[in-house]
């Protein structure tokens, strides 16, 4: 028995430019989830159970972009996705296009444990959820007033939001309806796009696991699948590390970032930080916003 480690993320972390109250809420939620994971690890729960437990909690709280509080599609609906991976045996499960499953991460876990497959999506995934008896809710449950406001802004700015602040053009096109940057047509809006969540753990047996859950990008096309449910892109775990990514999914997919970090550690013998730095430098497209964001902070990758 050795030591254990845990990392939890709600997107890129707490942006110092966010309103202090929102920063505080984010810190409190992350701390609560971190403590939940720590207690579970102290009780010797396996890594895979801990990452599921922590991400479920983040999905249930509406603050971040997963489960309740998920980003909305261009049609104002929620389509969620999640993935989970157990470093022991490299087992994995993933789901996409969920509209009624309260905790997508637990369905991903069931895909891993109870189906012959690794990845189920849309109606097939929902059928499987019913079969497994997981908790289902109306799509409305996932939709928050904040996110409706954010979608409206995204549409007015004609953009898909993955950044944390509303682009200036969003304010400009709001016109006379803007009461303050936090209100539009009487509707409260956030000044940031909601962010994806994830958890990475090494348990006392040295086993790594990783889990990621998201509603994707605000104003995304219906049917869009991002990096978060893709094993090797948004999530990966093996015997050397666990990875949960957040950022612009299309760039993360192109770079197969999560697996690249593990591969660099395995084949190049780099340590964790060096592997992350290497992958960010080599695999994120030069000059893209993704690269800019990743080089600002490595909190986009949480690794154990
Ligand atoms: N990676 C997510 C996606 O593209 C978004 C995020 O990390 O906030 O769906």
């Amino acid at each position: 028995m050795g030591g254990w480690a845990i990392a939890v993320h709600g997107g890129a972390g707490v942006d110092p430019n966010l309103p202090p109250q929102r920063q505080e809420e984010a810190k409190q939620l992350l701390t609560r989830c971190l403590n939940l994971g720590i207690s579970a690890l102290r009780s010797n729960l396996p890594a895979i159970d801990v990452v599921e437990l922590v991400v479920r909690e983040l999905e249930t709280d509406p603050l971040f972009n997963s489960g309740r509080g998920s980003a909305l599609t261009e049609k104002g609906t929620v389509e969620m996705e999640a993935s989970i991976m157990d470093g022991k045996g490299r087992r994995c499960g993933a789901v996409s296009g969920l509209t009624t499953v309260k905790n997508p991460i637990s369905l991903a876990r069931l895909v891993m444990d109870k189906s012959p497959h690794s990845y189920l999506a849309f109606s097939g995934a929902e059928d499987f959820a019913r079969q497994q008896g997981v908790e289902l809710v109306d799509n409305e449950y996932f939709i928050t007033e904040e996110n409706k406001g954010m979608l409206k802004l995204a549409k007015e700015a004609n953009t898909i939001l993955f950044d944390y602040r509303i682009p200036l053009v969003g304010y400009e096109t709001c016109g006379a309806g803007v009461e303050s940057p936090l209100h539009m047509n009487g509707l409260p809006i956030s000044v940031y796009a909601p962010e994806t969540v994830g958890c990475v753990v090494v348990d006392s047996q040295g086993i790594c696991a990783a889990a990621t859950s998201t509603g994707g990008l605000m104003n995304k096309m219906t049917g869009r699948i991002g990096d978060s449910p893709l094993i090797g892109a948004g999530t990966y775990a093996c015997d050397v590390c666990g990875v949960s990514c957040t950022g612009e999914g299309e760039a993360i997919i192109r770079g197969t970032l999560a697996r690249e970090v593990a591969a660099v550690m395995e084949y190049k013998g780099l340590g964790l930080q060096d592997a992350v730095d290497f992958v960010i430098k080599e695999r994120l497209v030069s000059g893209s916003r993704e690269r800019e964001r990743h080089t600002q902070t490595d909190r986009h990758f949480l690794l154990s």
Side-chain angles (χ1 to χ4, degrees):
M1 294 260 290
W4 45 261
I6 178 168
V8 178
H9 77 84
V14 179
D15 185 326
N17 297 314
L18 291 180
Q21 194 200 332
R22 173 61 168 72
Q23 284 187 43
E24 204 38 53
E25 284 169 7
K27 273 186 205 159
Q28 278 176 15
L29 176 57
L30 289 171
T31 305
R32 181 158 64 76
C33 291
L34 192 63
N35 286 334
L36 186 71
I38 290 172
S39 310
L41 282 162
R42 286 195 173 131
S43 312
N44 287 324
L45 233 63
I48 191 73
D49 289 346
V50 179
V51 293
E52 182 188 353
L53 184 77
V54 169
V55 169
R56 265 184 83 93
E57 194 68 15
L58 289 160
E59 288 175 340
T60 304
D61 192 291
L63 197 65
F64 291 120
N65 175 12
S66 65
R68 182 147 185 265
S70 278
L72 307 178
T73 68
E74 60 188 352
K75 293 189 178 149
T77 54
V78 162
E79 288 181 359
M80 297 163 290
E81 43 196 14
S83 63
I84 192 164
M85 187 158 186
D86 192 345
K88 188 178 173 186
R90 303 191 191 207
R91 300 168 63 242
C92 60
V95 285
S96 279
L98 300 183
T99 54
T100 66
V101 175
K102 190 172 174 213
N103 288 107
I105 198 65
S106 292
L107 191 65
R109 174 80 190 267
L110 286 166
V111 169
M112 177 175 101
D113 287 343
K114 303 270 178 193
S115 89
H117 304 299
S118 300
Y119 191 176
L120 292 175
F122 296 94
S123 60
E126 296 270 341
D127 288 348
F128 179 66
R130 274 189 290 279
Q131 213 182 77
Q132 293 296 317
V134 305
E135 190 173 357
L136 303 177
V137 288
D138 285 344
N139 199 250
E140 279 295 315
Y141 161 86
F142 301 104
I143 301 172
T144 62
E145 288 303 311
E146 253 197 359
N147 283 347
K148 281 191 199 168
M150 181 62 72
L151 178 65
K152 194 164 178 179
L153 270 189
K155 281 186 178 296
E156 295 207 13
N158 194 23
T159 185
I160 295 167
L161 293 184
F162 69 90
D163 210 343
Y164 308 117
R165 279 151 301 224
I166 295 166
L168 206 54
V169 64
Y171 292 125
E172 288 164 359
T173 55
C174 290
V178 181
E179 293 146 34
S180 81
L182 291 171
H183 287 84
M184 188 174 67
N185 300 331
L187 203 62
I189 53 162
S190 52
V191 287
Y192 34 80
E195 300 170 33
T196 294
V197 304
C199 180
V200 177
V201 158
V202 187
D203 65 22
S204 54
Q205 309 295 319
I207 309 292
C208 296
T212 311
S213 182
T214 190
L217 302 182
M218 185 67 76
N219 203 21
K220 68 182 182 180
M221 290 171 70
T222 53
R224 181 258 186 189
I225 292 173
D227 60 299
S228 307
L230 300 182
I231 297 297
T235 304
Y236 198 73
C238 58
D239 47 351
V240 297
C241 69
V243 184
S244 171
C245 295
T246 177
E248 185 196 348
E250 283 68 12
I252 296 171
I253 292 170
R254 286 194 297 276
T256 52
L257 294 193
R259 173 61 199 152
E260 284 291 281
V261 170
V264 165
M265 290 178 78
E266 286 183 81
Y267 301 132
K268 232 170 135 57
L270 295 189
L272 182 60
Q273 187 63 56
D274 289 343
V276 171
D277 292 345
F278 180 85
V279 170
I280 288 169
K281 189 160 164 270
E282 298 298 326
R283 289 290 172 265
L284 290 177
V285 184
S286 177
S288 77
R289 293 172 74 183
E290 196 58 26
R291 182 171 190 143
E292 213 176 281
R293 289 174 58 199
H294 277 85
T295 45
Q296 277 167 10
T297 168
D298 64 6
R299 284 176 300 174
H300 286 257
F301 290 89
L302 292 183
L303 311 142
S304 297

